[in-house]
Amino acid sequence: MSENQFGQTWRDQKADFWDWMWEKHRGSAMTEALLELASSRDRVIEIGCGAGHIVGEMLKRGFEGAYLGFDISERALERAGEIIHQPGGHDGPSRGVICGDFLLEDQLVVARNFGADLVFARGVLQHQSHWAPMVLAALRCAPMVAMGIGYTSIAPRHGGGWKKAGHYDVVVSLPLLEYEAAAMGVEVDITLMPNPKRPKHQEALVIFRRDLVETLVQA
């Protein structure tokens, strides 16, 4: 999550907020798709991991790989750290969480050195003013990025506005995202995924790959 976009709102949330958020999305097609994808990988990074509900579910389903979660909320990460704690010290795979803005260079250095084969996030990209900075940063850390986007449309432009809670929501135009990604040389695969718990919002899982943009993301 980018602290310069809406950090204070999320940083100050109490633990029960993250439980409420998880209940909104647990069992949805997008959540299940992300869980299946991430659980099958060896080394994954999650942006906006919150209180660790997704990685906790991954572990329940037999995830045996290495995991690194980023979030700007210390309160949430206290719970996430408890979920991923491995008894027995260094016998298991590397798993940890970091409190900080993923888009800052010092955090990106850590993420790049982690050697992930997948970076993923659920419900984070729609809170950025534009999708490209976060995705291109993530593509510097892994060859594949999976983003679950909560607000999408087929309108010709991205739309958004300030909410009462103080954070920024962007309705991501999928046609424009495809156009912009192609112009940047980024390969994308978009799957629309309805969520019965949120019938007014069209969700989408977007897979970005850096095969066509190697020189750009390595700069």
Side-chain angles (χ1 to χ4, degrees):
M1 292 184 178
S2 177
E3 189 168 357
N4 61 359
Q5 294 287 339
F6 64 115
Q8 193 68 38
T9 299
W10 302 102
R11 189 169 52 240
D12 294 342
Q13 295 293 346
K14 297 181 180 180
D16 57 356
F17 168 81
W18 303 102
D19 296 333
W20 173 75
M21 286 288 290
W22 175 242
E23 288 302 318
K24 283 179 61 179
H25 301 296
R26 182 171 63 176
S28 71
M30 184 199 299
T31 299
E32 289 299 313
L34 281 172
L35 283 168
E36 182 178 356
L37 180 61
S39 298
S40 67
R41 298 285 164 163
D42 294 325
R43 302 183 67 84
V44 300
I45 293 173
E46 182 181 5
I47 304 173
C49 64
H53 289 97
I54 288 184
V55 67
E57 189 64 29
M58 289 167 58
L59 294 171
K60 290 178 183 177
R61 300 185 184 196
F63 175 65
E64 297 180 350
Y67 171 90
L68 181 61
F70 286 86
D71 206 280
I72 59 173
S73 171
E74 292 185 16
R75 291 179 179 179
L77 290 180
E78 288 178 2
R79 292 182 56 182
E82 294 173 359
I83 290 173
I84 67 170
H85 177 67
Q86 285 283 306
H90 300 287
D91 294 337
S94 171
R95 292 175 187 157
V97 291
I98 293 177
C99 185
D101 186 342
F102 178 78
L103 291 179
L104 296 181
E105 188 60 33
D106 56 345
Q107 309 296 350
L108 285 174
V109 169
V110 175
R112 293 184 73 176
N113 290 337
F114 185 71
D117 49 20
L118 172 71
V119 176
F120 74 97
R122 199 221 184 283
V124 173
L125 203 61
Q126 71 255 22
H127 298 303
Q128 307 301 305
S129 59
H130 195 274
W131 64 269
M134 178 165 284
V135 169
L136 291 179
L139 285 171
R140 294 172 61 189
C141 306
M144 179 186 294
V145 173
M147 291 287 178
I149 306 176
Y151 308 120
T152 69
S153 76
I154 58 172
R157 296 190 181 98
H158 303 305
W162 290 98
K163 302 290 184 177
K164 291 182 180 179
H167 63 269
Y168 197 69
D169 288 337
V170 171
V171 179
V172 179
S173 164
L174 297 179
L176 182 56
L177 183 150
E178 284 189 293
Y179 175 83
E180 292 170 336
M184 298 176 189
V186 178
E187 181 183 353
V188 295
D189 182 17
I190 299 174
T191 304
L192 293 176
M193 294 187 165
N195 183 351
K197 297 180 182 179
R198 305 174 73 237
K200 294 182 180 180
H201 304 291
Q202 180 65 69
E203 299 183 340
L205 177 64
V206 183
I207 306 295
F208 301 85
R209 294 180 177 86
R210 74 181 187 194
D211 298 345
L212 304 178
V213 71
E214 194 74 24
T215 56
L216 174 62
V217 301
Q218 293 298 330

